[in-house]
Amino acid sequence: MTGATEATAGASPAPEGRRKERLDRGLKVRTEGLYAVNSYREITYLVGPRLLLILGLAVLPLLLPNLYWQRVLCVAGAYALLAISFDFLANYVGLVCVGGAFMTGVGGFTAGIFTYYLHVPWPISILLGTVLGAALVTLIWLPSLPLRGIYFAILTFMFPFLARGVILALGILGGTEGLGPVAGMDNIWIENYLVIVVLLVAVFGLRRLVGEDAGIVLRGVKDNDMAVQASGISVTRTKAKGLFIGSLAGCFAGAYIVHLYNFMGTSLFATDYSILPIAAAVMGGSGTLAGPMLGALILTPLSELLRGFGQLRVVLYALVLVGFILFKPEGLLNWLTRKYHQFEKWTKV
Amino acid sequence: MLEVKNIMLFYENAIAVNNFSFTAKAGKITGIFGSNSAGKSSLMWTLSGIILDMRKKEIMRGGERITVLGEIIYEGANIIDMKPSDRARKGIVLCPERRRIFPESSVMENLRIGGYLANAAQARKTLSYVFEIFPKLKDLRHRNGGFLSGGEQQMLAIGRALMAQPKVLLLDEPLLGLSPAMEQRLGQAIKSINKEIGVTIVVSEQYARPLFPIIDYGYIIENGAAVLEGTAEELMNNPDVKEAYFGI
């Protein structure tokens, strides 16, 4: 016979075997269109997780047994903001920033200077500390923005040490001893709810932002900066905008901590502020923004429980980081989201 | 030499290779032709075992679930679950799509990395053979891989794969992005490699014209399944193939 023979795919039987199939839940598919508003069940499916987060955070301070744990919540909130900032910068702008402590330091000192030296009321100094601090951080890191990946990470990691060295060497801003008391909020409920409101604004605001045009450009810079340049967009300017937005969260955390502790000193540049947010982001789920927040809200109280072990707490972060990177790199929230939206079943091939 | 039975490959719920069977006869060149997304690269990854590595990474990341089913019979054993490094040790060597040379190593270093599995005598012999079929590489041997042109990089990639002393050489789209003249030259080079070392070659490509003269047997793959098979002449005489792969 001449001519090519028809190779028939179905002629020989397919191999025996089964595989796990992953399918979207019917409810999820139904809620994708406009008709989701037709039924309460579908609205609940959409709004439920978000509402759970808002209500959960809103009642959390009421449920805490004593002042000590309420203070822990404040600190956890500050770490959560740093974690969100890290996640946003790393996964949506492409800047792996390991210098969260620099943001807390600059934001904290800026806000603290206003309150301590100029006797500005704390809400205004926190606001000024956040905005001016973020501007300052962006300005200082501007020359290093062309760097990518590990190089940017190394550079940002060095900055807290640098700033601390400058303050210690020159003896300015309180030098080794720090400055205090900085007039603070002095009301645990205000302290609690301020950080919770800012957290929610940060999470929902940033999640909205990354879906908008501006956010798409930011993600474009992360994926392929050459193509972004070819589209007529300045990469450095876009990165600077992203860095400013990310630093806002970090600097607020610093300004908040200063007014929480009524004290500002070089401890604001502590490496904890750089490292714990990364562990939280990896644990919670990189790229989800809400995940790192959850991670921080879990990790901080956990490390508080282990306070008796002193410096060994750092080992805990390291273990969490290594454990999650090795065994669950997607993080908690990505995993939960998948379980929420999809189900699995075995199918025969 | 290499007998592939009923390979099925799923990326999550999408089927990439659908019940594909073929045989690569010892010392012959087998061609696998298909358009984009036909499943050629997925098939090559399955043959070389790279897919197992991808599957592991996806599981860790919580990403797509990759399912591989079927049998690959090589030297009398089913190697479907064998690690890619072990397959390379046994002589199944992949020359990947888009070349994937080491851009910051020189040509010489690239070839030496490829020759990691060979002993000194084999490496010396193969190196001189690579320089014999690709004389241009000899002139460029101190240049960094990243500075080579597309054609030179492809020569380097094939040379690197040869250094690993393959018994079965898998070439995934070796003619990607090359000029027609370069396509001709590489086609001839592949033929002479096959003749002179006697290595079994499986080559996948989208555009069939430069390769049809050199292959012994060919398969046309569409949507992951084989739709036609035959010798080069048989395939060439098929009107559908003419239209789709020769543009006549």
Side-chain angles (χ1 to χ4, degrees), chain B residues 123-136:
Chain B
R124 232 186 346 260
K125 198 173 144 215
T126 317
L127 191 66
S128 62
Y129 178 69
V130 169
F131 284 151
E132 186 188 313
I133 47 170
F134 301 127
K136 207 163 181 188

Side-chain angles (χ1 to χ4, degrees), chain A residues 1-9 12-17 19-23 325-326 328-330 338 344 349, chain B residues 6-8 10 12-13 18-19 21 60-65 67 69-70 217 225-230 234-235 238:
Chain A
M1 180 185 147
T2 56
T5 47
E6 294 274 337
T8 40
S12 57
E16 283 291 311
R19 63 190 186 87
K20 226 174 187 183
E21 199 175 26
R22 218 180 252 165
L23 293 172
I325 285 177
L326 279 183
K328 208 106 195 106
E330 53 176 338
R338 218 177 54 229
E344 294 179 343
V349 173
Chain B
N6 308 98
I7 286 284
M8 291 196 105
F10 292 87
E12 204 63 69
N13 301 332
N18 186 0
N19 205 4
S21 305
M60 277 179 58
R61 211 166 57 85
E64 282 182 326
R65 181 176 285 133
T67 317
L69 295 166
Y217 203 76
V227 289
L228 281 174
E229 60 173 274
E234 284 170 358
L235 285 175
N238 185 298

Side-chain angles (χ1 to χ4, degrees), chain A:
Chain A
M1 180 185 147
T2 56
T5 47
E6 294 274 337
T8 40
S12 57
E16 283 291 311
R18 52 184 202 151
R19 63 190 186 87
K20 226 174 187 183
E21 199 175 26
R22 218 180 252 165
L23 293 172
D24 281 358
R25 290 182 199 281
L27 193 56
K28 173 175 192 280
V29 180
R30 285 203 298 283
T31 49
E32 272 166 2
L34 184 65
Y35 295 104
V37 294
N38 269 347
S39 95
Y40 279 114
R41 192 156 165 255
E42 277 146 30
I43 294 174
T44 317
Y45 182 82
L46 281 179
V47 179
R50 295 163 175 84
L51 211 59
L52 192 72
L53 178 68
I54 296 172
L55 291 180
L57 281 179
V59 296
L60 193 57
L62 303 173
L63 298 177
L64 292 172
N66 51 33
L67 189 64
Y68 174 72
W69 285 106
Q70 283 183 313
R71 297 280 285 193
V72 171
L73 176 63
C74 294
V75 181
Y79 277 120
L81 278 169
L82 285 167
I84 293 170
S85 160
F86 170 80
D87 190 34
F88 173 73
L89 287 177
N91 290 300
Y92 292 99
V93 193
L95 298 170
V96 182
C97 167
V98 197
F102 189 60
M103 295 181 188
T104 53
V106 171
F109 271 105
T110 315
I113 286 166
F114 279 109
T115 314
Y116 186 80
Y117 289 116
L118 307 173
H119 306 292
V120 176
W122 66 263
I124 299 174
S125 23
I126 287 188
L127 190 68
L128 286 172
T130 307
V131 177
L132 292 181
L136 206 58
V137 168
T138 313
L139 210 63
I140 293 172
W141 280 347
L142 204 57
S144 46
L145 282 183
L147 298 178
R148 273 193 300 184
I150 186 74
Y151 301 103
F152 188 77
I154 294 170
L155 199 108
T156 50
F157 189 68
M158 295 313 296
F159 264 90
F161 300 105
L162 185 95
R164 190 185 196 143
V166 168
I167 288 176
L168 293 184
L170 298 181
I172 49 168
L173 298 170
T176 17
E177 279 148 37
L179 291 173
V182 179
M185 294 168 264
D186 293 329
N187 181 331
I188 190 66
W189 299 107
I190 295 179
E191 287 168 356
N192 268 176
Y193 281 104
L194 176 65
V195 81
I196 283 174
V197 167
V198 172
L199 259 181
L200 290 173
V201 169
V203 167
F204 286 108
L206 284 178
R207 278 179 81 107
R208 169 59 74 89
L209 175 78
V210 296
E212 299 283 335
D213 284 2
I216 291 170
V217 174
L218 285 178
R219 275 150 59 195
V221 168
K222 186 208 163 200
D223 286 341
N224 190 338
D225 53 1
M226 247 189 240
V228 169
Q229 274 173 333
S231 312
I233 297 165
S234 159
V235 169
T236 308
R237 180 178 292 194
T238 316
K239 277 186 180 173
K241 279 183 203 161
L243 180 60
F244 177 73
I245 295 168
S247 316
L248 281 177
C251 288
F252 175 86
Y256 175 79
I257 287 169
V258 165
H259 292 87
L260 182 74
Y261 291 157
N262 299 345
F263 169 80
M264 62 170 170
T266 47
S267 59
L268 283 168
F269 291 108
T271 316
D272 268 18
Y273 294 124
S274 304
I275 303 299
L276 190 134
I278 300 173
V282 171
M283 179 182 172
S286 304
T288 53
L289 295 172
M293 176 181 79
L294 289 181
L297 291 181
I298 295 169
L299 264 187
T300 321
L302 206 63
S303 86
E304 211 49 51
L305 282 174
L306 299 173
R307 187 166 273 281
F309 295 99
Q311 274 301 306
L312 272 177
R313 288 188 302 158
V314 181
V315 177
L316 170 85
Y317 311 151
L319 281 182
V320 167
L321 199 63
V322 171
F324 267 90
I325 285 177
L326 279 183
F327 301 110
K328 208 106 195 106
E330 53 176 338
L332 287 176
L333 200 70
N334 282 324
W335 180 75
L336 281 175
T337 314
R338 218 177 54 229
K339 292 287 164 200
Y340 190 67
H341 288 315
Q342 295 180 315
F343 68 96
E344 294 179 343
K345 69 177 170 66
W346 285 101
T347 44
K348 265 194 82 175
V349 173

